[in-house]
Amino acid sequence: MSNTEKLGIMICGHGSRNQNAMKEFASVSEGLKGRFGSVPVEYGYLEFANPVISHGLDKLREQGCTKVLAVPGMLFAAGHAKNDIPSVLNTYQAQHPQMQILYGRELGVDLKMIRAAAARIQEAIDGAAAEVEKHDTLLMVVGRGSSDPDANSNINKIMRMLWEGFGFGWGEVCYSGVTFPLVEPGLEHAAKLGYKRIIVFPYFLFTGVLIKRIYAFTDEVAARHPHIEFVKASYLNDHALVLSTFEDRVNEIEAGQNVMNCQMCKYREQVLGFEDQVGLAQESHHHHVEGVGGGLEGCPCKGDCDASCRDEAFCKQHGLPWTPVHSHDSPASLEAVHTHGHDHSHDHNHDHDHDHGHHHHPYPHADHPHGPNSMKKGD
């Protein structure tokens, strides 16, 4: 590093209307500050929360930073990490050419992350009501779900490493949205396999609407199969090994070892079923919702938002601000939230009747019977 160069670190998150999720993300970012000495660390979000990424970069620039190491605060590299965040960073770089922004890779399939996941699963086992042999236990790992098959496949590798590491009787994968199988059909399938216990582990960094949905559907399926013990494991959150992995990603950029997996990237290679997406333009789909969703601390959810703020009638009833925003989920994959006694699923899909100047490439398997358009109960 030159004498005139000042380093800064930027953690780029997705964002959520759930204030508790944002507190957890902020906690991780704060935890990283102690790992880099005097180097400034800031964070920002793509959508639904403040500060937005550009505001975090502004703070680093105001502190005199001339070189920024930016890492995506995401588990896997799908559209957000590959397109949206780089687009925001490139735009900022063009506006402030005196600041060099270097982009790192996602947390990915990493042994530290797998150890952190194993710790959460072991905590769930230790807190379970009864003793059940591992060979009588099925592990269900729940991923976020993406229209990127490479990102989706990573969950299967994580699951296999955990399954084989613990020695469980069986392992399965399902997803909270976008792809297949969704949580409910996935758990229904798992319940038919004859295991005494099913451990449901959301491979997520933070809480939020999706975690609440995963646990709610677990309860629904468990009620239909009282002979099976369903154990809900916690998500990753700020486990020390998660922080260590973030630290590694930052150090990789500075060391010039920032190697991403492009062999399976649908934007670079002819991935089976996604051949028409090679070479798509890199652009952000979040510019119109940057910062939208903040300031809801007075919500009846008390910070643990259940997406009521997306329901206009609910917001009017409680005197809350409401902003009509789009979702990346089809209406079917927005599995209903089971809190406040309301069904907050809503009619909002990729065929918007308002123009954002972009469109989302259609997912080729949107009609899969256990996937994005499936809301069948008890199949």
Side-chain angles (χ1 to χ4, degrees), residues 210-231:
L210 298 180
I211 294 293
K212 294 164 73 71
R213 291 173 184 159
I214 291 165
Y215 290 156
F217 272 87
T218 299
D219 290 340
E220 284 196 8
V221 176
R224 295 197 289 266
H225 301 276
H227 59 290
I228 302 174
E229 181 190 16
F230 284 77
V231 176

Side-chain angles (χ1 to χ4, degrees), residues 250-314:
V250 172
N251 290 333
E252 286 173 356
I253 309 173
E254 182 68 0
Q257 299 173 339
N258 185 27
V259 180
M260 292 187 176
N261 173 30
C262 294
Q263 293 180 329
M264 298 290 183
C265 178
K266 67 175 182 176
Y267 302 116
R268 293 175 179 267
E269 302 293 340
Q270 296 282 325
V271 175
L272 179 66
F274 297 80
E275 292 86 354
D276 60 340
Q277 298 186 37
V278 174
L280 284 182
Q282 187 179 65
E283 59 180 346
S284 175
H285 300 315
H286 296 263
H287 54 86
H288 56 289
V289 285
E290 281 187 324
V292 171
L296 293 174
E297 289 79 1
C299 179
C301 302
K302 296 181 179 179
D304 193 17
C305 183
D306 67 348
S308 299
C309 47
R310 297 186 183 186
D311 184 88
E312 185 175 14
F314 181 89

Side-chain angles (χ1 to χ4, degrees), residues 3-23:
N3 293 331
T4 59
E5 184 178 82
K6 182 175 180 179
L7 201 63
I9 296 169
M10 182 70 201
I11 312 298
C12 306
H14 179 272
S16 170
R17 289 176 180 266
N18 188 298
Q19 299 296 319
N20 291 345
M22 295 303 87
K23 289 176 184 176

Side-chain angles (χ1 to χ4, degrees), residues 318-349:
H318 293 278
L320 298 170
W322 173 75
T323 305
V325 296
H326 83 288
S327 167
H328 292 289
D329 294 316
S330 68
S333 64
L334 282 168
E335 299 178 309
V337 181
H338 300 276
T339 53
H340 292 319
H342 299 283
D343 179 351
H344 300 301
S345 58
H346 57 286
D347 185 15
H348 221 129
N349 56 37

